[in-house]
Amino acid sequence: METDSMKATAVASSNIAFIKYWGKRDTALILPMNASISMTLDDGVSTTTTVEFSGSLAQDELVLNYAPTGGTKLERVSRFLDILRQERGISTRAKVVSINTFPTGSGIASSASGFAALAVAASGALSLSKTPEELSALARQGSGSACRSVIGGFSEWDDTYAVQLQPETHWPELRDVILLVSAEEKTISSRQGMEATVETSALYKERIKNLPIRLGTVRDAIADKDFSTLSTSIMEDSDELHACIADTTPSVRYLTEDSLRIIEAVKRLNSDGEMVAAYTFDAGPNAHIITKEEHLPKILEMIGRLGGFPHLVSGLGEGARLIDDHLF
Ligand code: PMV
């Protein structure tokens, strides 16, 4: 039946970048100034999305975490679906229902998992058979970092799509402990922030020039499961990114006092000679602590010493994929 073939559901996880994407060389197409490398998280930090195209709809509809949603969020989804409608040569509207496994307002950005799930579900609903590379390139047009969430395990996004560096089975002990420092929406979006950094920061120009070396180091450290080298590069990259963001005119700051306390606590954990964990921060104050399973008790103890933060622990996860259970 035509209606059955116009509906599909996909699940996609969030990801955390070890080498951050910051800056576009093409803002319309969302092509990055630099390559980025990330770890795709597990289904505990994921989005499930059902898309149904239907001739009976006058407009696109969006339900996010059980709440009918309009405004800019719906516009962004509609513009994204337009890419596929154009490809199929149709104007049929769609209903999109999406739920996150992590709580709304938890401070975990949902655009990466959200657009990865939407790309796979909408393509599936329209029976457009696409390779993982094509799905990654499509997700990128919704949100840059989403192209990495289409791919499981460790992925690298260099230009139009992300590719897998290593599968999720490569390093099963690796963990990301996500600490909720603040649930407030950031006042400066990553889009605005990166545009301003590209335009005004001199330090950023140095970053772009020097990044190929760190990218090589991280690729090798992942392949060799060299946690110590990987951790050093992860922290360097986060520190450098936030220094460039501070070097932006007018200056921008995403980290709070609590973020800085977490940085110092991780450094103290590592000061006994063994590398226990690495901190990394996106465009917000919430900390991602990359560690190994054996060190989780130390990390939980550290969180306790800091007075406690809501947190969740994720391992490596699979890429975005179609599933049989629809949300409606
Ligand atoms: O995809 P966006 O526009 O939300 O940008 C994400 C930027 C960072 O999260 C800060 C870095 C990254 O590579 O994920």
Side-chain angles (χ1 to χ4, degrees):
M1 244 165 63
E2 176 69 359
T3 39
D4 284 341
S5 66
M6 297 281 269
K7 186 173 185 174
T9 300
V11 59
S13 297
S14 185
N15 70 77
I16 180 66
F18 296 167
I19 306 266
K20 311 286 187 191
Y21 146 60
W22 195 254
K24 298 176 178 70
R25 64 176 171 77
D26 185 319
T27 42
L29 287 175
I30 314 191
L31 297 174
M33 290 285 279
N34 65 276
S36 53
I37 294 178
S38 62
M39 154 184 182
T40 297
L41 301 175
D42 65 28
D43 285 356
V45 201
S46 66
T47 301
T48 301
T49 299
T50 298
V51 179
E52 181 173 32
F53 288 87
S54 163
S56 64
L57 292 170
Q59 279 163 356
D60 289 328
E61 288 173 14
L62 176 64
V63 181
L64 276 184
N65 294 313
Y66 311 102
T69 305
T72 51
K73 286 192 170 133
L74 174 61
E75 280 167 29
R76 213 168 148 190
V77 166
S78 277
R79 268 202 311 275
F80 184 81
L81 294 175
D82 285 343
I83 300 171
L84 291 172
R85 281 192 277 253
Q86 204 170 9
E87 191 176 328
R88 266 290 302 260
I90 57 167
S91 57
T92 317
R93 301 288 111 183
K95 179 172 178 178
V96 176
V97 176
S98 195
I99 49 170
N100 297 324
T101 54
F102 47 92
T104 322
S106 69
I108 300 171
S110 57
S111 68
S113 54
F115 278 101
L118 184 62
V120 173
S123 300
L126 292 176
S127 307
L128 294 163
S129 68
K130 290 183 182 290
T131 63
E133 290 79 16
E134 287 167 337
L135 289 167
S136 173
L138 174 64
R140 187 199 81 234
Q141 295 175 70
S143 170
S145 56
C147 75
R148 296 188 312 245
S149 273
V150 171
I151 311 298
F154 299 93
S155 68
E156 175 165 359
W157 169 33
D158 185 0
D159 191 43
T160 50
Y161 54 81
V163 295
Q164 187 172 70
L165 293 176
Q166 302 290 340
E168 56 276 17
T169 49
H170 172 69
W171 203 343
E173 310 80 29
L174 207 64
R175 295 288 180 276
D176 177 14
V177 184
I178 309 169
L179 271 62
L180 174 62
V181 170
S182 166
E184 272 170 46
E185 290 247 346
K186 51 185 175 251
T187 48
I188 299 160
S189 68
S190 51
R191 184 180 56 79
Q192 294 167 315
M194 59 178 84
E195 254 173 49
T197 305
V198 173
E199 274 169 32
T200 64
S201 168
L203 195 56
Y204 178 76
K205 294 189 173 60
E206 286 299 304
R207 167 174 171 78
I208 295 300
K209 219 169 38 197
N210 298 330
L211 261 184
I213 298 172
R214 190 178 300 138
L215 283 158
T217 305
V218 165
R219 256 179 240 127
D220 290 348
I222 291 171
D224 301 341
K225 299 204 259 181
D226 177 350
F227 184 73
S228 179
T229 304
L230 178 65
S231 294
T232 303
S233 292
I234 288 174
M235 291 187 279
E236 266 175 19
D237 198 71
S238 178
D239 289 343
E240 184 180 275
L241 176 76
H242 289 276
C244 290
I245 291 171
D247 185 46
T248 299
T249 310
S251 185
V252 179
R253 199 183 73 157
Y254 290 115
L255 307 185
T256 63
E257 287 304 315
D258 279 333
S259 315
L260 302 181
R261 285 171 61 226
I262 294 166
I263 289 176
E264 291 313 314
V266 171
K267 283 186 191 163
R268 262 199 308 279
L269 270 191
N270 290 334
S271 65
D272 281 348
E274 190 190 4
M275 189 69 86
V276 173
Y279 56 80
T280 183
F281 296 83
D282 285 339
N286 297 315
H288 290 254
I289 311 280
I290 310 301
T291 190
K292 292 192 281 186
E293 191 183 16
E294 63 188 275
H295 296 313
L296 281 177
K298 283 187 190 164
I299 304 298
L300 299 180
E301 217 177 277
M302 179 194 86
I303 295 172
R305 274 200 305 276
L306 288 167
F309 289 102
H311 56 273
L312 59 94
V313 181
S314 174
L316 282 150
E318 290 174 58
R321 61 217 176 264
L322 288 169
I323 57 170
D324 292 331
D325 290 336
H326 301 310
L327 293 175
F328 65 93

